[in-house]
Amino acid sequence: MIKSATFPTKGDGYIYKTIERPTEPNRSYREYCNMSDDEFNDAKKLYEANIKEWEVHKDEYALSCSKNLVGKTFHFDDKKVNILFGPNASGKTTILRAIAGAAIIKDCGFTRELTPGDCDWETKSLSINKIIAKIAKNTANVDWDGEPLYYYTPSAMSNPMFSTFGVMSDMVFGGDVMSEVTYHISRGKSSGGQMTSFMFSKIYSICAQPRSLSSIVAKLQTAIDKHSVNDFWANIYKCELDYLKTKKKYDVESPITLLLDEIDDGLDITTTSLLYNKILPQILKTCNNQIILISHNPLVLSKTISDRVCYSLISLDEDYTNAAREILKECQF
């Protein structure tokens, strides 16, 4: 399970970037070299105004979501549906990506093998912390016990790599080739909601059976033992395995934690209600697992969902959440 995710006050990644210093006009730069004297002088005046403004705000973060994340810890309950709720660009996907990165999940699916592209080619560095930060895109400390994670985000399905037959069945469908065939055939003929329903049924079938993390990455150890990869690849695999083996449930068959990024996107109201009132609670009952998902659907704020014991609502922006609740109270049907 995932116990928590913390974004320290200092780190690397897009949430830690501060407002960039304005560029001073210089005739040697292409955008300024063909300006008239009047245009160049106007650019200098604008720069002088901007640099004064920058001096006031230079220590502020460039992205609005940073205030919701940096220096914050997010706690997750086991055997519950943990809903990360907030407006667009509030940091929900950043949290989910950080969790997936800690489990070395690059796009979607289960933990994957590292490749030479994941290490620092200049130094040939195999620092697992740097590799995880690169995958997660931000510095984060994730408390994970080693129970398998399965990450699904609809946006990843448009990745060009999935156009190569066999990649999706391996990464997303747990080796089920026929599911990949069905997905490609149906993709252009079905609505977004229908494809979401199809994907959700496949995710459920994959995660219904407990698994161990060691079984998911067994081929890495096999490749090392059989010398089927060269020394460079073997060292990369060893680096990954050494890290994963530090997790106390590495060898334990456990329920699979689901990480779902806006799984309700494209669903109509009745299907969304069915998802939260029936399907997700039934998954918890059947699989005895943990679910962490992202949503900004207002239905999750209703008492019939958010007040149920199987749900834990995690608000990234309390002002937004409170405002949304007040708006919903005023709605009459």
Side-chain angles (χ1 to χ4, degrees):
M1 65 167 285
I2 299 295
K3 187 175 181 180
S4 65
T6 300
F7 295 89
T9 54
K10 300 291 183 181
D12 297 315
Y14 58 81
I15 67 170
Y16 294 97
K17 292 186 181 300
T18 53
I19 298 172
E20 290 188 15
R21 181 188 179 95
T23 303
E24 184 174 2
N26 188 315
R27 284 293 190 185
S28 63
Y29 297 162
R30 179 178 297 178
E31 60 184 302
Y32 299 110
C33 62
N34 294 324
M35 282 184 173
S36 67
D37 288 342
D38 287 343
E39 290 174 329
F40 186 74
N41 287 334
D42 287 342
K44 289 280 287 184
K45 290 178 182 178
L46 180 60
Y47 165 75
E48 290 169 0
N50 287 340
I51 198 67
K52 288 180 180 178
E53 183 74 10
W54 177 79
E55 287 289 349
V56 175
H57 300 285
K58 63 182 180 180
D59 294 325
E60 296 177 9
Y61 293 112
L63 298 178
S64 60
C65 70
S66 299
K67 65 181 176 59
N68 299 330
L69 302 174
V70 177
K72 304 288 182 64
T73 296
F74 300 89
H75 297 278
F76 306 97
D77 292 330
D78 193 17
K79 298 175 179 54
K80 284 191 176 184
V81 179
N82 299 268
I83 302 176
L84 291 165
F85 181 82
N88 289 330
S90 60
K92 302 185 298 296
T93 296
T94 299
I95 296 172
L96 219 59
R97 187 181 290 126
I99 295 171
I104 312 183
I105 304 173
K106 304 176 194 177
D107 297 286
C108 58
F110 289 104
T111 297
R112 299 287 299 172
E113 69 273 13
L114 292 174
T115 69
D118 297 309
C119 68
D120 187 338
W121 275 95
E122 293 183 1
T123 63
K124 294 294 193 298
S125 171
L126 288 178
S127 168
I128 194 64
N129 290 332
K130 289 184 178 180
I131 290 172
I132 289 173
K134 180 179 177 182
I135 296 172
K137 303 186 186 304
N138 291 286
T139 300
N141 302 317
V142 177
D143 189 344
W144 171 47
D145 62 7
E147 289 187 348
L149 305 183
Y150 183 94
Y151 179 41
Y152 175 70
T153 171
S155 62
M157 304 304 280
S158 60
N159 192 316
M161 71 177 176
F162 287 135
S163 61
T164 301
F165 186 77
V167 174
M168 185 177 288
S169 62
D170 184 33
M171 291 181 61
V172 182
F173 295 123
D176 185 352
V177 176
M178 286 309 300
S179 289
E180 180 176 8
V181 172
T182 303
Y183 177 85
H184 285 300
I185 292 174
S186 304
R187 189 174 184 181
K189 301 177 182 179
S190 304
S191 69
Q194 288 173 322
M195 291 308 296
T196 299
S197 297
F198 168 77
M199 284 302 305
F200 203 85
S201 66
K202 296 311 299 180
I203 291 169
Y204 170 68
S205 65
I206 291 169
C207 297
Q209 184 66 38
R211 301 178 65 177
S212 66
L213 182 59
S214 60
S215 69
I216 292 172
V217 296
K219 62 181 180 181
L220 276 66
Q221 190 64 57
T222 299
I224 295 172
D225 294 341
K226 292 188 175 182
H227 304 287
S228 58
V229 292
N230 62 33
D231 288 345
F232 187 39
W233 278 84
N235 286 334
I236 294 172
Y237 287 176
K238 185 177 185 301
C239 173
E240 179 174 358
L241 289 171
D242 286 347
Y243 161 70
L244 295 176
K245 288 177 181 178
T246 64
K247 305 302 176 181
K248 64 181 181 180
K249 293 191 176 180
Y250 174 75
D251 280 316
V252 180
E253 284 196 354
S254 308
I256 295 166
T257 291
L258 292 179
L259 308 176
L260 306 174
D261 192 343
E262 295 193 23
I263 193 70
D264 53 10
D265 187 36
L267 298 181
D268 57 35
I269 293 176
T270 54
T271 307
T272 301
S273 177
L274 178 66
L275 172 66
Y276 286 104
N277 284 306
K278 300 290 185 182
I279 297 175
L280 291 173
Q282 183 60 37
I283 290 176
L284 291 183
K285 183 178 180 180
T286 304
C287 301
N288 199 34
N289 66 339
Q290 178 189 50
I291 300 174
I292 303 173
L293 61 80
I294 287 172
S295 179
H296 49 68
N297 192 306
L299 281 180
V300 303
L301 296 179
S302 64
K303 290 185 177 181
T304 55
I305 294 174
S306 63
D307 284 0
R308 292 181 65 171
V309 68
C310 62
Y311 283 99
S312 174
L313 186 73
I314 303 169
S315 173
L316 270 70
D317 186 331
E318 283 297 337
D319 290 340
Y320 172 83
T321 301
N322 292 333
R325 283 195 167 109
E326 290 303 315
I327 291 172
L328 291 173
K329 287 178 183 178
E330 297 172 1
C331 294
Q332 296 183 11
F333 298 96

